[in-house]
Each structure stands twice: as C-alpha cells, then as structure tokens.
Amino acid sequence: MVNLFPRTAHVLVVLVLVGGFAASAEADDAAQKAKELKELQKALESARSELNSLSALRNNEERALRNLENQQAGAARALHEAREALLAQQADLEALRARQAALEGSIARGREGLAASVRALYALGPDSTLQGMLSPGGRADKMRMEGYLAVLRDRHARTLSGLRADLDESARVVAELESGLAHLIALERSAREEQQRLDELRQKQSQAIETLEARMKAGEARVEQIRSDQRDLARLVRKLEEAAKQPPPPPPPSAQPPSMRRQATDNVEAAAPRGEQAPVPVGVAGGIPVAGRLARKYGDPTGLGELRSDGHFYAAAEGTPVRAVADGRVVFADWMRGYGQLVILQHAGGYLSLYAHNEAIYKPVGASVRRGEVIGAAGRSGGARQTGLYFEVRHGGQPINPARWAAMKGG
C-alpha cells in the first residue's frame, strides 16, 4: 500500500505558501493605493488653496479693471461734453460773424446816407435858413424851404444815430467774437487734453484686460485640472473599496486618459477660427445699435465649449456712438462684471434691450430715450476681447433672437 501522506502534506504546504504570498501581495497593493490616495488628497488640497489664491487675485484685478474703466468712462463723457460745447461755441461764433457782416453792411449804408445828407446841407449853404427868411418870395415858398431843411436835418440826425448804434453794436460783437475765440481755444485745448487722457486710459485698460485674460486662462486650466484630479480620486476610491473583494485589475495601457482627450478636443474646438460675417449696412429699417460689423450673431458658438451667444456682437471702433433701437427708459446704467459699462433699456410689451462693453454711458437711470438717440459709446469694457458692442434682447427674463423683435425690423 502506497503511503500518500507525505505527498499530501507537501501539497498543503505549497498551497499555504502560495496563499500567503497572494495575501501578502494583495496587502502590499492595498497599502500602495492607500499611500497614493493620501498623496493625491494632499495635492488636491494644495491645488484648492492655490485656486483660492488665484480667485482672490482675479477678483482684485477685476476690481482694478472696474475702477480703470469707470475712469475711462468719465474721460469719455468729458470728451463728449467738450466736443458738444466746442460745436455749440463754433455755431455761436458763426452767428456772431454773420451779425458782424450784417452790421458792416448797415454801417456802410449809414455812412453813405450820412454823406448824402451832409452834401445836401452843404449845397444849401451854412446860412440857408436865414437866407430863406430874408429872400424875396412868397410865404409858401419860404415854408417849403423850411420844411425841406427840417426833413434833411431829421434824416441826418436819424442816420447819425443809427450809425452810432451800429458802431456800438459792432464793437460789442467784435468783443464777443474775441471772447468766443478765446473760449474756443480753451475748449479745443481741453478736448485735446481729455483725448490724451482717454488714450492713456485705453492703453492701461488694454494692458489690464490682457493680464486678466491670461489670469482667467490660467485659472480655467487649473480648474479643469482640479476637476480631473477629483475624477481620478473618485475612481481610485472605488478601486480601493473593491480591492478586498477581487484582485486589482491589470495596469491600464499607456494611452491618454479620456478626460485628457476630452480636454484636448475642447481646446481644439475653442481655438477653431470662425468665419467673419459680412458688414452690416447703417441706416437700414429697424434699429442697428451701432455702426459696425456683425461679428457674432444670436446662437453662434462663443468658443467656450458648447456655449452659444445670447445676443449679437458688433465689432466697432472705440467711441462709436451707441443708439437706442427703440423708445424706452433706462433701468440700469453701471459697470457689471463680465459686461463692463452696461446699459439696459425697458420697452413696451415687457422687452428689455441690453448694451454691453460700452466705453462710456451718456444716460442716467430713469432717463427716457427715443429711438436712434445716442446713449453711450462702444468700447471693450468688462474684459471684452474685441472692441465693439454686445447687444441682447430679453422678454420674460429669457434672451430672444434680436432679429425676431419687431423693433429691430422697424415695427
């Protein structure tokens, strides 16, 4: 009879050793994953702290941008008022010049009339009255002579009086012209100074926007990285929970993670160039809020993921007049983050029109405006990447296509 005990015992020993090795390997793997989890949690806390600091820095830069753009709006308003005063002064000077020309003609005619009356009196002689009384002739002839002399003297006196008045008026007009010219020179100097100040503020604003954009891009990338870390952490926690139930899965291939592939796809989509729209003619039926090129329409992609535009964006030069597209009342006129200098008009039928990224606002809250009236100037406030005007229409709290609003069609 063959003794199987030694062979059986040998097999049991081998199984025990193999089981021990497997349990030890599983324990080591779990410990390694716990260590990775701890390190990832520490990195995530550090990232969160860095994001908080980054957000605080962005907030400070946005506040600085708001203050700068408010100063810029003030300079633009001052320049606008200086130009209006300049135009008014020029109109006053033109009126004074016309008045002076008329007075010069009147003075010339008065001098001619005065010379004529002097010549007539001279022709009669210095003693014409006495000669008329002593000369032979009838009483009727003498009375006619006296009447003629009285008419000549009266005409001479009136001509002289009118000439003096015209000369006095001419002197006053000349003085007003000189004063007006001095005021005009001062207004022109003030306008040049405001223009220079505005140009300097525009340069500072451009630099601030570039800094803020860079900060926002860095922040967006960091936020996406944190979200990716959170997804990785959730997957790792699930793996650790399953570690006691089954052996760990084989290591994944060295392919790019899906989250990174999605991020790369989003970046490519965001960087894809969009075709430019045709220029929009000025003065067509319906209200065009600013003379510019329609660069982005309602519903067009914004370049930020799947976000679509809720309004129209018109590319226009800084300072281009912004006009109300319909009669209404100003219900908001202030700086708002993301929109810059923003004007909101309330219209009949529950409609609101929004005009964003203005360089300056010319109308206060509560002001009534007529269709076509200038309410501001185009710019790039609020961190806009392009100079112009963002225009939006809302009804019932929801954005609608501006092209479908009757006011935009001339209704």
Side-chain angles (χ1 to χ4, degrees):
M1 183 176 180
V2 179
N3 188 1
L4 298 177
F5 180 77
R7 183 179 300 175
T8 302
H10 180 71
V11 172
L12 289 174
V13 169
V14 171
L15 290 175
V16 169
L17 290 175
V18 171
F21 287 141
S24 176
E26 185 175 345
D28 291 343
D29 186 67
Q32 179 63 27
K33 290 186 179 298
K35 182 179 179 182
E36 291 177 0
L37 175 60
K38 186 175 181 180
E39 291 176 354
L40 184 57
Q41 288 174 336
K42 184 177 180 181
L44 184 58
E45 290 298 329
S46 175
R48 284 173 178 166
S49 176
E50 184 178 347
L51 180 62
N52 290 335
S53 300
L54 190 62
S55 298
L57 187 57
R58 274 184 54 185
N59 290 336
N60 291 336
E61 289 176 347
E62 285 179 345
R63 282 193 294 270
L65 178 61
R66 173 178 181 172
N67 294 333
L68 177 61
E69 290 179 349
N70 282 333
Q71 294 177 31
Q72 183 179 2
R77 277 194 300 271
L79 179 59
H80 176 73
E81 293 169 358
R83 285 173 174 170
E84 286 190 339
L86 191 61
L87 292 175
Q89 186 65 38
Q90 288 173 343
D92 290 343
L93 288 177
E94 289 300 322
L96 286 172
R97 289 190 181 102
R99 176 62 179 156
Q100 185 186 29
L103 285 171
E104 287 176 351
S106 178
I107 290 171
R109 289 190 297 272
R111 284 173 174 166
E112 290 176 358
L114 184 64
S117 64
V118 168
R119 284 195 299 271
L121 289 172
Y122 180 79
L124 294 174
D127 298 326
S128 56
T129 302
L130 181 62
Q131 290 177 2
M133 293 175 62
L134 299 178
S135 63
R139 180 177 176 81
D141 293 336
K142 294 178 180 180
M143 291 182 66
R144 280 197 299 271
M145 176 63 71
E146 290 177 2
Y148 179 64
L149 288 172
V151 169
L152 284 178
R153 292 191 188 96
D154 182 64
R155 182 183 301 171
H156 180 79
R158 283 189 284 108
T159 303
L160 186 59
S161 176
L163 183 59
R164 286 172 177 170
D166 288 343
L167 288 171
D168 291 341
E169 177 69 9
S170 178
R172 185 187 65 80
V173 169
V174 169
E176 286 190 15
L177 275 172
E178 292 176 351
S179 175
L181 287 172
H183 189 206
L184 182 64
I185 293 172
L187 287 175
E188 289 176 341
R189 183 171 59 251
S190 175
R192 286 195 300 270
E193 292 173 353
E194 290 297 340
Q195 182 67 62
Q196 182 179 359
R197 177 170 170 247
L198 181 58
D199 291 340
E200 292 173 355
L201 288 170
R202 282 174 175 170
Q203 185 177 3
K204 290 181 180 179
Q205 181 210 24
S206 180
Q207 295 172 352
I209 288 176
E210 290 177 1
T211 302
L212 184 59
E213 283 183 349
R215 189 77 64 192
M216 290 177 69
K217 289 178 181 178
E220 290 168 358
R222 193 57 178 157
V223 167
E224 179 57 33
Q225 184 61 50
I226 289 177
R227 288 174 178 170
S228 177
D229 290 345
Q230 289 174 335
R231 291 192 294 267
D232 292 341
L233 176 61
R235 285 195 292 268
L236 183 57
V237 168
R238 288 195 298 270
K239 289 180 181 179
L240 290 174
E241 290 174 346
E242 296 171 358
K245 300 177 182 179
Q246 58 184 11
S254 59
Q256 193 179 29
S259 61
M260 296 296 289
R261 289 198 295 271
R262 285 195 298 272
Q263 182 179 357
T265 303
D266 290 344
N267 291 339
V268 171
E269 292 177 354
R274 299 190 296 276
E276 294 185 351
Q277 303 290 338
V280 176
V282 180
V284 298
I288 299 299
V290 69
R293 177 176 55 85
L294 183 56
R296 186 175 69 247
K297 296 186 296 183
Y298 175 89
D300 284 352
T302 62
L304 299 174
E306 299 180 355
L307 292 179
R308 300 277 175 172
S309 178
D310 287 336
H312 290 349
F313 182 82
Y314 297 89
E318 284 180 316
T320 304
V322 174
R323 304 178 184 274
V325 298
D327 296 351
R329 184 170 62 88
V330 180
V331 294
F332 184 90
D334 202 351
W335 192 95
M336 177 177 285
R337 186 166 61 181
Y339 295 92
Q341 299 291 342
L342 173 65
V343 181
I344 301 178
L345 302 183
Q346 184 182 48
H347 308 281
Y351 288 91
L352 295 175
S353 59
L354 292 76
Y355 310 76
H357 304 312
N358 292 280
E359 180 179 64
I361 298 172
Y362 299 152
K363 299 294 183 182
V365 172
S368 296
V369 297
R370 303 291 293 176
R371 176 176 175 167
E373 188 173 353
V374 176
I375 59 175
R380 57 175 302 191
S381 60
R385 290 174 172 80
Q386 188 177 5
T387 302
L389 176 77
Y390 174 72
F391 174 73
E392 188 176 308
V393 177
R394 290 189 174 242
H395 188 258
Q398 299 298 320
I400 65 171
N401 188 346
R404 300 177 62 182
W405 185 29
M408 298 292 289
K409 302 176 183 178

